[in-house]
Amino acid sequence: MRIAPTGGSAALSPCVAAAALLALSAPAPSRADRVTVEIEGLEGDMLESARASVALKQYEERDTPAIEVRRLFERADEEIRLALEPFGYYSASVASNLEQPEPAVHRAVFRVTPGEPVIVTEARVEVSGEAAQLDSVKQAIEAFRPKVDERLDHGAYERSKQQIETALANEGFMDAKLLQRRIAVVRAARTAEINLEWDAGRRYRFGPVRYAAAQFPQEFMQRYTPWKEGEYYSADKLLGLQQTLVDADYFSSVGVTPDLERAQHAVVPIDVLLVPAKRTLYTGSVYVSTDSGPGGRLGVQRRWINARGHKLGGEIEYSRRLEQIGVNYRVPKPGLRNRYVNFGAGYVDEETDTSRSHMARLAATEVTERWRGFTRTLGLQYLNGTFEIADQQQDTSLLFADGLLTRKRADDLYFPLSGYSLLYGLRFAYEPFLSDTSFVQVRAEA
């Protein structure tokens, strides 16, 4: 018979004793510190690259154990040096210091001396075959950076290489291959040699253009294609077709893409995706004018009225001193040189403090969108009406020819920062031909 002890300490079981021993021997949790990182001696893109490359920089906004701060600090010198190599600085030196201005706060300071940059001593950039003779490819090669005697800049090198590849693809060299791609850097001499060579391969041609089913028959849509089947492929022509279809104002969405997966024997078909726009557009506005008083406008435009894409629109304006109405009928003439013909008619009844006039107008114009780099407008206008000034009433009749050349170029059509606009105009009337007078008007604007 076993008798339990009745006094003194109770004996611990083996499991409880082991747990207590483990609890006593477990390390205390590491203290969480804060760190700030400062990089001196750099600016601009090099400073941003160095900041992005230093892993310690990513821990500025979080609590980090002191041992982890020291580990990341020891790696930072090499990270900064590697970050400067793409800018051509292969011999940078870094003086680093890890300070602790107060408990649990670390301040890492890196003072960088970039040193002398690597200079390009040879730049060989070649494209084989006929591709090298095309203007866009030649311009991309001539614009290659860095050139001889310039600082080695890997960013400029990659951008220039991409521009050459883009030029080749835009001209139809879909199979172009980069045979040589080498930058040889001699650190001791601080020199670099660049060697790039492309095999342009075969040049693709335009295959059939497949327009998605839309509101017009295929025969009409095919007239918008600004090239003939079998011509050399050109990305600029694809963009031109897309812009022409957008400007036609028949579609809410236009997509023009080459079907490279179905290209055979260097002939690539083109797919055109079209989403019809709303067929009828209504507009309205009210206004207050110091000349004509309060008034309003109502307009309607039928984007297409038949399978040939003809357009019809009209507008009415009414105010206390001005009444006018106008209608416009447009006949598109798509083709290699896109153009359209406008027929218009209008009537205006206007009253001012000193005069009153009634004027009717008839007009017919032809607009050619691509004529020797300009948009060309040729037309005839006929005006007939009466006007009254200071109790003097007269009739007027005028038939005149109108010619206009316009050109606009800009880096951005919606928010241009640079570009130009040109306008040349000529109007003339001859008295024997339905006119009360003869005149010549010349305009030039830039």
Side-chain angles (χ1 to χ4, degrees):
M1 181 179 202
R2 178 178 297 175
I3 299 174
T6 58
S9 304
L12 295 175
S13 68
C15 291
V16 174
L21 182 61
L22 288 173
L24 292 173
S25 61
S30 299
R31 183 182 64 188
D33 292 4
R34 286 296 183 114
V35 61
T36 60
V37 177
E38 298 179 12
I39 300 176
E40 302 174 356
L42 300 177
E43 59 184 18
D45 291 341
M46 290 198 298
L47 177 59
E48 293 302 319
S49 178
R51 286 174 173 170
S53 300
V54 174
L56 183 60
K57 184 75 176 173
Q58 303 173 13
Y59 289 80
E60 284 188 312
E61 301 299 326
R62 64 179 83 171
D63 293 333
T64 308
I67 189 171
E68 181 70 5
V69 171
R70 287 190 291 271
R71 184 182 70 83
L72 294 173
F73 172 78
E74 292 173 357
R75 293 167 41 187
D77 288 12
E78 183 64 17
E79 291 170 339
I80 293 174
R81 282 191 287 268
L82 291 175
L84 298 185
E85 289 187 359
F87 299 92
Y89 294 92
Y90 280 73
S91 57
S93 59
V94 182
S96 55
N97 187 29
L98 183 62
E99 305 171 354
Q100 192 170 5
E102 57 184 273
V105 175
H106 299 274
R107 178 172 175 263
V109 180
F110 303 94
R111 297 176 178 85
V112 184
T113 303
E116 295 295 325
V118 170
I119 302 299
V120 176
T121 57
E122 181 179 340
R124 178 176 169 268
V125 182
E126 296 182 356
V127 175
S128 67
E130 62 174 320
Q133 305 305 317
L134 298 177
D135 289 340
S136 61
V137 178
K138 289 169 62 176
Q139 291 171 5
I141 295 175
E142 292 171 358
F144 184 88
R145 293 290 187 277
K147 294 185 178 296
V148 174
D149 294 332
E150 293 182 349
R151 171 175 58 87
L152 177 62
D153 186 328
H154 288 259
Y157 165 86
E158 291 294 339
R159 289 190 296 271
S160 297
K161 182 165 67 69
Q162 183 60 49
Q163 288 172 356
I164 294 175
E165 293 176 345
T166 299
L168 288 170
N170 287 348
E171 294 291 351
F173 295 94
M174 308 294 189
D175 301 329
K177 295 181 180 179
L178 190 55
L179 302 179
Q180 295 285 340
R181 182 180 60 182
R182 181 170 176 265
I183 300 179
V185 176
V186 181
R187 292 176 179 266
R190 298 190 183 92
T191 60
E193 296 180 359
I194 296 174
N195 187 3
L196 286 170
E197 181 182 353
W198 280 270
D199 177 10
R202 56 185 179 175
R203 189 178 186 185
Y204 280 63
R205 296 177 181 270
F206 282 119
V209 181
R210 302 175 299 211
Y211 289 89
Q215 65 268 49
F216 302 111
Q218 285 289 319
E219 294 78 9
F220 175 74
M221 294 306 307
Q222 289 292 341
R223 292 166 60 188
Y224 276 96
T225 306
W227 62 78
K228 295 181 180 179
E229 186 172 341
E231 288 185 13
Y232 283 125
Y233 176 93
S234 168
D236 289 340
K237 290 183 179 180
L238 290 184
L239 292 175
L241 171 59
Q242 184 175 30
Q243 188 60 53
T244 298
L245 292 173
V246 170
D247 293 341
D249 198 32
Y250 297 129
F251 313 103
S252 63
S253 178
V254 177
V256 181
T257 57
D259 189 357
L260 297 177
E261 293 183 357
R262 290 180 172 82
Q264 295 182 354
H265 309 295
V267 176
V268 56
I270 307 299
D271 289 329
V272 182
L273 176 64
L274 303 170
V275 178
K278 190 174 181 178
R279 188 170 186 176
T280 305
L281 181 66
Y282 299 95
T283 59
S285 62
V286 294
Y287 63 85
V288 176
S289 169
T290 57
D291 293 330
S292 57
R297 295 187 187 93
L298 291 176
V300 61
Q301 180 184 354
R302 193 74 163 168
R303 285 190 166 109
W304 69 92
I305 62 174
N306 54 32
R308 298 184 298 278
H310 293 193
K311 295 174 176 285
L312 178 64
E315 184 178 77
I316 298 176
E317 182 176 355
Y318 180 83
S319 65
R320 187 166 60 88
R321 293 187 171 186
L322 176 65
E323 299 174 19
Q324 65 177 352
I325 182 171
V327 294
N328 181 270
Y329 191 88
R330 175 178 292 190
V331 179
K333 300 288 185 180
L336 296 179
R337 182 178 292 174
N338 197 46
R339 59 195 178 95
Y340 55 88
V341 178
N342 273 336
F343 300 97
Y347 175 79
V348 179
D349 184 346
E350 185 174 16
E351 181 181 358
T352 69
D353 293 336
T354 59
S355 66
R356 175 137 191 195
S357 63
H358 308 269
M359 186 67 66
R361 179 182 65 88
L362 296 174
T365 59
E366 182 193 56
V367 180
T368 304
E369 295 182 347
R370 290 184 293 272
W371 187 83
R372 300 183 181 181
F374 288 85
T375 296
R376 185 188 69 182
T377 302
L378 300 175
L380 283 174
Q381 294 198 48
Y382 177 69
L383 303 177
N384 183 275
T386 63
F387 60 89
E388 182 179 338
I389 300 177
D391 297 330
Q392 296 293 321
Q393 183 172 337
Q394 292 188 7
D395 298 332
T396 183
S397 179
L398 190 65
L399 175 67
F400 62 91
D402 197 1
L404 200 65
L405 294 176
T406 59
R407 175 192 288 175
K408 290 184 178 180
R409 297 289 185 271
D411 56 348
D412 188 298
L413 294 179
Y414 297 101
F415 302 100
L417 296 178
S418 64
Y420 64 89
S421 173
L422 301 176
L423 181 148
Y424 307 105
L426 174 65
R427 284 179 175 176
F428 63 91
Y430 185 48
E431 186 174 353
F433 293 97
L434 301 177
S435 295
D436 297 333
T437 186
S438 300
F439 78 90
V440 175
Q441 181 189 60
V442 178
R443 299 170 59 196
E445 299 178 7

